[in-house]
Amino acid sequence: MVMDVTEISTVIAAMGTSLGPDILAQCRSLFAAEQVALADGALPVAVDCVYGPDPRNRLDLYCAPLNGPAPVVLFVHGGGFLHGDKGGAGDQWPNAHIGRWAARQGWLGAVMNYRLAPDHAWPSGAQDVVQAVAWLRDNVAEFGGDPTRIVLMGTSAGSVHCAGAMALHADLPLAGVVLLSGLYGYTPLEDRDTAYYGDPSLYPQRMPRDAVVGTHLPLMVACAQFDPPRFQAEFVGLLKDRLERHGTLPRATISRGHNHYSMPMHLGTSDQRLADEICDFVRGTIANV
């Protein structure tokens, strides 16, 4: 049964701000029926496109019939640096749903995998995002996409890798960036993060804080109302530094009634509040390219 927005928000509020497999499973159950229904017949137009040498360097493309070159939204999944998958033809949800949602907006949606810790440490995730962007620039026109209008979007660890890509390449050829519940360098390192970042003494110089604060790319940042306090502190710290550096805030939103998992997971459903914010940002950004 598909629950309405108020019912879902009440259930999510009762979960609090904790993370873990039980909370993740509960969030999936809230949106599974609607997302599976939306997935019916919405298969990717290209699966496992090879953008780099590692077996995880693969991405899928989604698009509806297009009229002229379409903007491209590249989504980078979360998973705490250790887990996560783009989905694909045989695994429609989650993460693949972002590609389908982008296609319904008239864009070309790209959903990528990247190398995972602990086998692949910093800066592998950021490097993979850079490679994926380069592949799209070279190849997306073949699928109806506009290589000059690529918007990068990540959630959680995916946001970290998007921000890391900006740190590696200040001139990354993007139209804009959307960061959902990322870590930028405002809070202490947690134990699980060392699987990706390594020795905590290296942590400050490996965080992408300066790149995100300093970028002149159009930027949207978001956190969830029930994100863990750490992620909320990262959001506030980034906004403060952006205001001090640029004299103005980036586009920013707090996703009401959602938590760390449900914020990206619900995109494309009947709860359009966050989707509308992202769509408005993307449309405004690509209009200025």
Side-chain angles (χ1 to χ4, degrees), residues 29 34 110 121 136 170 191:
S29 69
E34 190 170 4
L136 289 170
D191 288 344

Side-chain angles (χ1 to χ4, degrees), residues 35 116 140 142 158:
Q35 290 288 16
L116 299 172
V140 78
E142 176 185 345

Side-chain angles (χ1 to χ4, degrees), residues 206-218:
R206 291 184 170 183
M207 291 302 288
R209 174 173 172 171
D210 290 344
V212 182
V213 172
T215 185
H216 290 281
L217 285 171

Side-chain angles (χ1 to χ4, degrees), residues 13-68:
M15 296 179 193
T17 61
S18 299
L19 301 179
D22 290 344
I23 301 295
L24 177 61
Q26 290 179 58
C27 289
R28 284 181 173 172
S29 69
L30 291 175
F31 306 105
E34 190 170 4
Q35 290 288 16
V36 169
L38 289 167
D40 187 29
L43 298 176
V45 296
V47 177
D48 288 335
C49 300
V50 178
Y51 71 81
D54 190 85
R56 289 275 303 179
N57 293 153
R58 304 291 186 269
L59 59 82
D60 301 335
L61 300 175
Y62 299 78
C63 66
L66 303 174
N67 295 316

Side-chain angles (χ1 to χ4, degrees), residues 51-52 59 72-76 110 112-113 125-140 146-153 161-162 165-166 169 171-177 217:
Y51 71 81
L59 59 82
V72 180
V73 173
L74 171 61
F75 179 67
V76 189
M112 64 176 284
N113 278 346
Q127 291 170 334
D128 288 352
V129 172
V130 171
Q131 288 189 92
V133 170
W135 187 91
L136 289 170
R137 290 276 293 186
D138 291 341
N139 296 280
V140 78
D146 185 345
T148 69
R149 296 189 294 169
I150 299 173
V151 175
L152 182 61
M153 174 176 159
H161 295 325
C162 292
M166 296 160 66
H169 290 273
D171 58 349
L172 205 61
L174 297 169
V177 182
L217 285 171

